[in-house]
């Protein structure tokens, strides 16, 4: 069990029997199990609230790793999942299809298709969606008879997931897998083209090495788990131009940014450029069930279209296009269509700007940045991460700093009062 013995005893007494009985047997994410703080036992969630087993209620600033964009337990999504559960929770997608998946594919391509993205490959997590995107990019060239294009260009500060291929295109330091250094496929990790010098450097690298590069992958507008860094739309225009010039595929990983987080339904819309492949997950089901999608341009799909079985995309997760998850995603898209989500994101953005800006004056604060429904206070350093996390819990909010970052990615439906409580807690705790 993580944490020290006295802390364990106190929590075991305060929590239900299942907590102490089961905690010995789980391995928690991103945690040194010996020193990690004990996790909080959650009994229920609703709206932007997390109800703990000991009766406390926390205002949630993270929306479960940015997934629960409509708040928890939205009745419309719940009803759709319940209806689906009564008829068919899951059926394999090999040789069989079902209404929820095909409806979702049609609706997603209805949104993305005008940009040319019109084939959806479903999977069950963001990391796998990235793996599929990378496989598409690598095999795209082979299927076209081009050999040697085996590398992917990705960016410092990026994070694309925890599976082998996804780790290999994430920043080795901020991407959480430094302890596996040297064991992963070696990809080309460079600076984002943020200014003239870095653009020229990337252009020169591509000019020299394009024949061994298959694709560029980037998180558009906001790099999430790698450090919550923002860049402007011009960077995406630069990348599109470079990819076109050097004839590379361009992958936008919108697993963090997709579905409104940056103020538009998809971040790439703000740049007026389109990727060849896009990855989606997280808020796709409104945070209810695991589901991901890799959506490809026709030209990518066409490279796999052949009489030759060897040119097929050989991927097929057991739970791909799970019917419950697709029903949740369809219901989530209904909510985007009939509720003012993007306007809510705009209001959150304004409030976050006003309320977090005063943090900039604090001596320990390095930067304050806001984009859509994401607010970030970057500190010079965080000495005691566990202690800082606990301070927020004591304030009655769930905010989970990492590295040197304190951030908010709330549900778009959060009330003004709840958001002010979150930002007030950040100002107080950091002061
Ligand atoms: C941009 C991005 N890509 C990929 C992933 C990996 O998604 P998952 O955790 O569902 O595997 C994440 C998760 O944080 C992400 O933010």
């Amino acid at each position: 069990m993580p944490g020290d013995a006295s802390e364990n005893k106190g929590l075991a007494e305060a929590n239900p029997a299942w907590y102490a009985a089961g905690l010995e047997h789980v391995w928690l994410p991103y945690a040194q199990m010996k020193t990690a703080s004990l996790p909080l036992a959650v009994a229920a969630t609703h709206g932007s609230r997390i109800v703990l087993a000991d009766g406390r209620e926390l205002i949630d600033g993270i929306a479960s790793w940015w997934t629960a964009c409509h708040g928890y337990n939205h009745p419309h999504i719940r009803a759709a999942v319940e209806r689906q559960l009564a008829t068919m929770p899951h059926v394999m997608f090999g040789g069989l299809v079902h209404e929820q998946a095909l409806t979702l594919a049609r609706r997603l391509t209805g949104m993305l298709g005008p940009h040319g993205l019109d084939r959806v490959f479903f999977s069950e997590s963001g990391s796998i969606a990235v793996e599929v995107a990378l496989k598409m990019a690598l095999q795209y060239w082979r299927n076209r008879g081009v050999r040697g294009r085996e590398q992917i260009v990705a960016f410092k500060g990026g994070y694309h997931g925890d599976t082998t291929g996804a780790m290999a295109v994430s920043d080795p330091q901020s991407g959480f897998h430094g302890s596996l250094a040297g064991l992963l496929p070696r990809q080309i990790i460079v600076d984002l083209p943020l200014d003239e010098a870095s653009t020229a450097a990337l252009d020169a690298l591509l000019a020299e090495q394009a024949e061994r590069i298959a694709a560029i992958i980037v998180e558009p507008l906001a790099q999430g788990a790698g450090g919550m860094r923002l860049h402007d739309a011009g960077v995406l225009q630069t990348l599109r131009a470079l990819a076109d010039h050097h004839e590379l595929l361009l992958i936008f990983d919108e697993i963090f940014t997709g579905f409104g987080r940056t103020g538009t339904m998809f971040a790439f819309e703000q740049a007026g450029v389109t990727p060849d492949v896009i990855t989606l997950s997280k808020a796709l089901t409104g945070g209810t069930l695991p589901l991901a999608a890799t959506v490809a341009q026709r030209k990518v799909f066409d490279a796999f279209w052949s009489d030759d079985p060897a040119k097929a995309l050989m991927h097929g997760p057991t739970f791909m296009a799970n019917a419950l998850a697709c029903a949740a995603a369809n219901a989530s898209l209904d909510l985007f269509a009939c509720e003012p989500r993007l306007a809510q994101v705009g209001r959150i953005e304004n409030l976050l700007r006003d309320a977090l800006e005063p943090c900039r004056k604090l001596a320990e604060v390095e930067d304050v940045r806001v984009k859509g429904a994401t607010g970030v206070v970057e500190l010079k350093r965080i000495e005691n991460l566990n202690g800082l996390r606990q301070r927020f819990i004591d304030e009655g909010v769930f905010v989970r700093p990492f590295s040197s970052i304190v951030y908010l990615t709330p549900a778009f439906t959060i009330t003004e009062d709840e958001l002010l409580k979150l930002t007030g807690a950040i100002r107080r705790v950091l002061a």
Side-chain angles (χ1 to χ4, degrees), residues 16-179:
W18 57 257
Y19 183 87
L23 198 58
E24 298 278 2
H25 305 288
V26 287
W27 200 329
L28 299 168
Y30 305 121
Q32 170 45 263
M33 292 297 289
K34 189 169 179 192
T35 55
S37 298
L38 286 168
L40 301 168
V42 179
T45 53
H46 62 93
S48 285
R49 302 297 174 119
I50 298 173
V51 184
L52 301 182
D54 64 11
R56 282 178 294 166
E57 191 164 297
L58 304 179
I59 300 174
D60 183 10
I62 310 297
S64 282
W65 277 327
W66 335 314
T67 61
C69 56
H70 313 288
Y72 295 113
N73 305 13
H74 195 289
H76 182 67
I77 299 182
R78 197 169 64 216
V81 173
E82 281 170 1
R83 268 196 311 278
Q84 188 59 40
L85 185 62
T87 54
M88 183 179 67
H90 180 71
V91 66
M92 64 187 277
F93 213 56
L96 303 170
V97 292
H98 54 84
E99 183 180 0
Q100 291 298 341
L102 295 202
T103 302
L104 180 59
R106 177 183 55 71
R107 291 176 79 178
L108 286 175
T109 55
M111 301 160 94
L112 296 164
H115 304 279
L117 294 152
D118 77 349
R119 278 289 170 161
V120 183
F121 188 96
F122 288 113
S123 57
E124 72 291 60
S125 78
S127 300
I128 301 300
V130 168
E131 296 289 339
V132 171
L134 298 178
K135 266 168 94 165
M136 282 177 180
L138 293 167
Q139 199 180 336
Y140 168 84
W141 293 106
R142 286 215 170 168
N143 280 1
R144 292 169 35 134
V146 179
R147 293 273 149 176
R149 286 187 177 257
E150 294 171 358
Q151 294 277 282
I152 308 290
V153 169
F155 296 100
K156 291 181 191 162
Y159 172 80
H160 298 284
D162 294 341
T163 50
T164 307
M167 280 192 285
V169 291
S170 300
D171 186 304
Q173 259 83 50
S174 60
F176 314 135
H177 59 272
S179 48

